[in-house]
Amino acid sequence: MNKTKPLVIVLLGPTASGKTNLAIEIAEELKLDIHNVDSRQIYKGMDIGTAKPTQEQQNRVKHYLIDLYEPNEPITLQQFQNTAQQSLEKEIRQKNMSLLTGGSGLYIKSLTAGLQPPAVPPQKKLREQLLKFKKGECYQFLQRCDPETASKLPPTDSNRIIRALEVFYATGKPF
């Protein structure tokens, strides 16, 4: 039996760019569900600033990966990837295609490009210590221990800088 690779349709763009309406049209035409790949729509209660699909839109087409966690439950990229893969597998088995819609390029890469995020949970105590440093100092730490990751991040992206430092200090390996 010649099994073809599944077709994965990716609709990526910034918030409020019309992705949801277009995704609904595509999903209705192809009889697919929509799998959310937005890093903020996975949180309950974060509806307005994320342009989360309305209940009426969600009733038209089944949406997955929305309202999974409380905002005070931050998840890692690996946690998202595992959850999303489970969500996608059933539809891919049944229809050999799926539809991903959202604005988080990193989430999309983790599902479509084989990106393997490190299995390091957030390091609360380390994070608290790093947040005490002056702006820019954590970036300097990252430049010393993981210059490749540092070169890909702006010095002002404190969330990703701290995450990269967490991974390095937990594993001894660059992000």
Side-chain angles (χ1 to χ4, degrees):
M1 182 175 163
N2 185 12
K3 176 107 169 131
T4 60
K5 288 185 178 182
L7 172 64
V8 178
I9 301 165
V10 176
L11 190 54
L12 173 67
T15 300
S17 62
K19 293 182 306 290
T20 299
N21 287 331
L22 180 56
I24 289 171
E25 289 178 27
I26 293 169
E28 288 176 335
E29 181 70 26
L30 298 176
K31 297 180 180 27
L32 294 173
D33 297 326
I34 294 174
H35 300 270
N36 173 55
V37 284
D38 186 285
S39 65
R40 299 296 175 243
Q41 290 182 10
I42 60 172
Y43 293 107
K44 298 173 186 173
M46 296 182 75
D47 300 347
I48 296 170
T50 64
K52 192 179 291 181
T54 65
Q55 193 58 54
E56 187 266 319
Q57 290 170 319
Q58 292 183 52
N59 290 339
R60 280 180 61 192
V61 173
K62 177 70 178 157
H63 285 67
Y64 291 95
L65 306 171
I66 290 179
D67 293 333
L68 300 180
Y69 303 96
E70 295 295 334
N72 65 346
E73 299 174 315
I75 66 164
T76 65
L77 179 60
Q78 185 185 43
Q79 288 171 298
F80 172 81
Q81 186 180 48
N82 291 338
T83 302
Q85 284 173 336
Q86 290 174 13
S87 173
L88 292 167
E89 282 176 6
K90 182 179 178 185
E91 187 166 45
I92 287 175
R93 273 195 313 271
Q94 292 174 346
K95 300 174 184 170
N96 205 37
M97 72 172 77
S98 64
L99 174 59
L100 306 176
T101 303
S104 297
L106 189 61
Y107 277 16
I108 289 172
K109 282 182 185 177
S110 79
L111 297 172
T112 62
L115 179 65
Q116 293 296 315
V120 175
Q123 308 291 305
K124 185 177 180 188
K125 290 188 188 291
L126 175 60
R127 188 170 287 230
E128 288 170 1
Q129 291 173 340
L130 291 171
L131 288 170
K132 291 178 183 176
F133 285 98
K134 292 178 185 172
K135 201 172 192 119
E137 287 181 315
C138 288
Y139 186 71
Q140 292 172 357
F141 298 152
L142 185 61
Q143 285 177 311
R144 286 187 206 117
C145 65
D146 186 356
E148 184 178 341
T149 299
S151 71
K152 296 175 185 175
L153 297 175
T156 55
D157 191 344
S158 59
N159 288 336
R160 288 193 176 129
I161 290 167
I162 287 175
R163 179 65 184 144
L165 288 169
E166 286 178 328
V167 170
F168 180 80
Y169 289 130
T171 67
K173 296 177 184 174
F175 193 72

